[in-house]
Amino acid sequence: MSLFISQAHAAAGPAQGADGTSMLIMLAVFGLVFYFMIYRPQAKRVKEHKSLMSELSKGDEVLTQGGIVGKIVKVSDEKDFIVVSIAEGTEVTVQKGAINAVLPKGTMKSL
């Protein structure tokens, strides 16, 4: 026996309840929790955002992820960019993915 390292003693047998079926059941429960709590809601949000981007059209009032509110002036189908008018004579080119929400008509005038 070493002065600094103590001897390790192994247990006589497996711990109670540590058989393969209980481990598989626990793994399945964790998988279901992961699916319903994390994956499924995120997939739903992604699907809604894709449908929002595909329905964008000229004249829609939108809110970007940066907090900019503007009206769509031009939508490019080949490229994923749109032109948003922020104010009279001020236009910004934005990626479609940066659109956070489509606002009701007349929102810009009420701000």
Side-chain angles (χ1 to χ4, degrees):
M1 185 161 120
S2 172
L3 183 62
F4 297 109
I5 302 172
S6 62
Q7 296 289 327
H9 297 282
Q16 295 221 350
D19 59 340
T21 57
S22 67
M23 294 298 282
L24 287 176
I25 291 171
M26 195 166 35
L27 183 64
V29 168
F30 283 134
L32 288 172
V33 167
F34 176 79
Y35 176 76
F36 285 110
M37 297 290 284
I38 297 171
Y39 179 75
R40 192 171 173 212
Q42 182 63 26
K44 185 178 177 183
R45 272 188 235 113
V46 168
K47 184 179 176 182
E48 289 172 355
H49 193 257
K50 280 185 180 183
S51 69
L52 171 80
M53 289 188 302
S54 67
E55 294 172 358
L56 290 176
S57 63
K58 184 178 177 179
D60 287 344
E61 294 181 5
V62 293
L63 172 68
T64 65
Q65 290 178 355
I68 298 173
V69 176
K71 186 179 245 183
I72 296 177
V73 176
K74 180 181 170 186
V75 178
S76 174
D77 289 333
E78 302 99 35
K79 299 177 183 176
D80 289 333
F81 292 95
I82 60 173
V83 178
V84 178
S85 174
I86 299 171
E88 196 72 32
T90 307
E91 294 180 350
V92 178
T93 303
V94 180
Q95 276 188 324
K96 283 185 179 180
I99 300 300
N100 203 17
V102 176
L103 303 173
K105 300 281 184 190
T107 302
M108 285 182 64
K109 290 183 180 181
S110 67
L111 294 177

